[in-house]
Amino acid sequence: MSSGGIVVAIDGPAASGKGTLARNLASHFGFHHLDTGLTYRAVAKALLDGGLPLDDEALAEQTACSIDLSNLDRSVLATHHVGEAASKVAVMPAVRRALVEAQRNFAQRRPGAILDGRDIGTVVCPDADVKFFVTANAAVRARRRYEEIVGSGTAVDLGEIEEDLARRDARDSLRADSPLIPATDAHLLDTSEMDIETAFLEAKRRIETAMAEKDGN
Ligand code: DC
C-alpha cells in the first residue's frame, strides 16, 4: 500500500482499451490521470521536431528530463508516426529512468492517481493499491485502431495496422528494460469480448474495495 492517495496502475498493449478505461475511472472517482505513453511520445516528438536521432541515449535522456507533465498535448502526440518513434525511444534505460521519476511523483497526487502504460504495476508503482492488466486479442485491437483512424477521416489499410501493432507489441514486450508483462497481482481484464462498460464496472468495484480497505487501515 502507498502512503499517499489511492494509486491505480493500468497496463496493457496498444489499442487494448486501457486509455479509455483509465480516463473514465479518473473522471468517476475524481482522481488525477496520467497516460504515461504520452511522456514517451513527447520525448520522441521533441527529437523528431529537432531533426535529432532517436537512438542517441544521452540526448534522449536530456530531452526526457525537460518534459513537462502538465503540458502533454494529446492532439499533437497521438499520431501513428510519433507512436512508432516513442516505442524506439522507450527501449533506452536512461530515458525510462528520467520519465519514471516524473511518473512516480505524479502518482503521489491526492486524492488518487490513475496511471496507464506498460510498466506501471511492475516498475513505476509496484505498490499500487489496485492493478489492472487490460488486454484484447490482436484482431480486435487492430480493428479498433482501424475504426479510430477511419473515424478521424484518414484512409488506412487494416493489414498495415495489424502489422504495425504486431511490430509494436514485439518491441514493447521483448525489450530488456521494463517489458510489457502483467504484474503478478494485476487483475486481468480481457476486452476482446467484454464491452467497455462491463470492464469499467469491474474495475470500479475493485477500486471501491481497495478504498474501503485503505480507509479501514
Ligand atoms: O500507449 P502509447 O501507444 O501511447 O505508447 C507509446 C509507446 O511508449 C509504446 O510503444 C511503448 C512506450 N511506453 C512504455 O514503454 N512504457 C509506458 N509506461 C508507456 C508507453
Side-chain angles (χ1 to χ4, degrees):
M1 283 280 170
S2 55
S3 56
I6 284 275
V7 179
V8 179
I10 305 184
D11 291 302
S16 57
K18 65 181 187 305
T20 308
L21 180 66
R23 277 192 294 280
N24 291 348
L25 289 168
S27 149
H28 175 81
F29 286 103
F31 291 168
H32 302 277
H33 169 230
L34 179 64
D35 171 352
T36 61
L38 290 181
T39 64
Y40 291 91
R41 284 171 181 263
V43 175
K45 172 102 174 38
L47 294 171
L48 289 170
D49 286 352
L52 300 166
L54 293 173
D55 59 354
D56 181 330
E57 190 154 359
L59 194 62
E61 179 186 20
Q62 210 182 331
T63 308
C65 288
S66 69
I67 294 302
D68 175 3
L69 295 197
S70 64
N71 193 23
L72 298 168
D73 183 352
R74 173 177 299 278
S75 66
V76 297
L77 297 174
T79 70
H80 182 71
H81 181 56
V82 172
E84 184 67 18
S87 100
K88 292 180 184 160
V89 160
V91 303
M92 292 183 276
V95 171
R96 302 201 70 85
R97 266 198 307 276
L99 294 180
V100 165
E101 193 187 328
Q103 293 161 8
R104 283 186 180 142
N105 288 337
F106 184 96
Q108 301 295 320
R109 294 192 184 188
R110 290 171 174 273
I114 300 187
L115 287 79
D116 73 88
R118 304 290 191 288
D119 60 341
I120 308 302
T122 49
V123 175
V124 181
C125 303
D127 296 329
D129 298 287
V130 200
K131 300 179 186 179
F132 299 104
F133 193 84
V134 185
T135 188
N137 67 47
V140 167
R141 291 190 287 122
R143 169 63 59 183
R144 261 185 212 152
R145 186 50 57 87
Y146 172 80
E147 282 168 4
E148 215 174 85
I149 298 174
V150 170
S152 72
T154 310
V156 71
D157 180 62
L158 180 60
E160 242 173 66
I161 302 255
E162 282 170 349
E163 280 170 28
D164 278 350
L165 278 183
R167 201 171 47 239
R168 186 97 76 83
D169 283 355
R171 205 183 285 129
D172 293 346
S173 307
L174 301 176
R175 68 175 176 231
D177 190 348
S178 316
L180 170 67
I181 38 162
T184 49
D185 50 352
H187 304 291
L188 190 72
L189 295 173
D190 186 337
T191 64
S192 305
E193 281 167 24
M194 186 191 287
D195 63 31
I196 192 68
E197 182 60 16
T198 310
F200 171 81
L201 291 173
E202 168 71 10
K204 174 173 155 299
R205 190 177 62 76
R206 300 259 184 202
I207 295 171
E208 284 165 351
T209 305
M211 288 169 77
E213 275 171 13
K214 195 159 173 142
D215 269 356
N217 285 338

